[in-house]
Amino acid sequence: MANKKSYYGTGRRKSAIAKVTLTPGKGKITVNGKDVNEYFPFDTLVMDLTQPLVYTNTNEMFDVNADVKGGGFSGQTGAIRLGIAKALLEYDSTTDADSENSFRKILKAHGFITRDARVKERKKYGLKKARRAPQFSKR
């Protein structure tokens, strides 16, 4: 275990925050101590969070360990995906960013580096939700 280096990335999406650690391994993904397929109820969510690894051909190279708090499954998936992308950038930091096969160029092209800033809008007084007005009655 002496020369096994870990790579870290923090991801945020909606109200979820994920701390992701990539360690050299066989491709095992763990979320909050559970297997990813056990933690997330839908296969599409698992497929979504592994995309950065798939596009960079590193899905069999790293074990992913993610600690995630807050939000729902969708937000947590987005947070883990961003965390994985950031950790991959840390791993590939020695490669020139302009080269054709740099992880930065690949991940940027697919939009994995950008933090999705969309969050729930706050409720306003006099309204039922952020924009939903009470039902109007003419009589």
Side-chain angles (χ1 to χ4, degrees):
M1 283 273 190
N3 70 1
K4 280 204 172 191
K5 188 169 179 352
S6 295
Y7 304 96
Y8 302 97
T10 306
R12 290 183 185 86
R13 169 83 171 97
K14 292 187 179 183
S15 59
I17 300 169
K19 291 180 230 163
V20 179
T21 310
L22 293 184
T23 48
K26 301 269 189 281
K28 188 169 182 275
I29 301 173
T30 313
V31 180
N32 290 349
K34 290 183 178 176
D35 183 61
V36 70
N37 296 310
E38 198 180 308
Y39 186 82
F40 288 115
F42 307 111
D43 291 337
T44 52
L45 294 175
V46 176
M47 196 175 72
D48 191 36
L49 76 84
T50 57
Q51 282 179 329
L53 295 168
V54 172
Y55 283 112
T56 56
N57 295 320
T58 53
N59 45 348
E60 302 291 318
M61 228 167 94
F62 292 111
D63 286 342
V64 178
N65 185 22
D67 289 321
V68 64
K69 290 184 175 83
F73 290 128
S74 175
Q76 289 184 349
T77 301
I80 293 170
R81 184 170 83 168
L82 182 61
I84 290 172
K86 285 185 175 179
L88 284 170
L89 289 179
E90 187 185 322
Y91 164 74
D92 196 47
S93 60
T94 55
T95 309
D96 182 33
D98 295 330
S99 78
E100 201 59 42
N101 57 356
S102 75
F103 284 1
R104 179 164 194 84
K105 201 162 201 159
I106 295 165
L107 295 171
K108 186 103 173 126
H110 295 301
F112 298 137
I113 296 172
T114 310
R115 196 265 203 228
D116 193 346
R118 295 175 297 170
V119 292
K120 187 170 178 156
E121 191 176 334
R122 81 172 200 82
K123 183 192 176 300
K124 279 75 167 193
Y125 61 87
L127 301 180
K128 291 189 177 290
K129 291 166 66 178
R131 298 179 184 210
R132 170 77 172 105
Q135 188 173 14
F136 175 74
S137 172
K138 202 168 196 175
R139 286 175 190 82

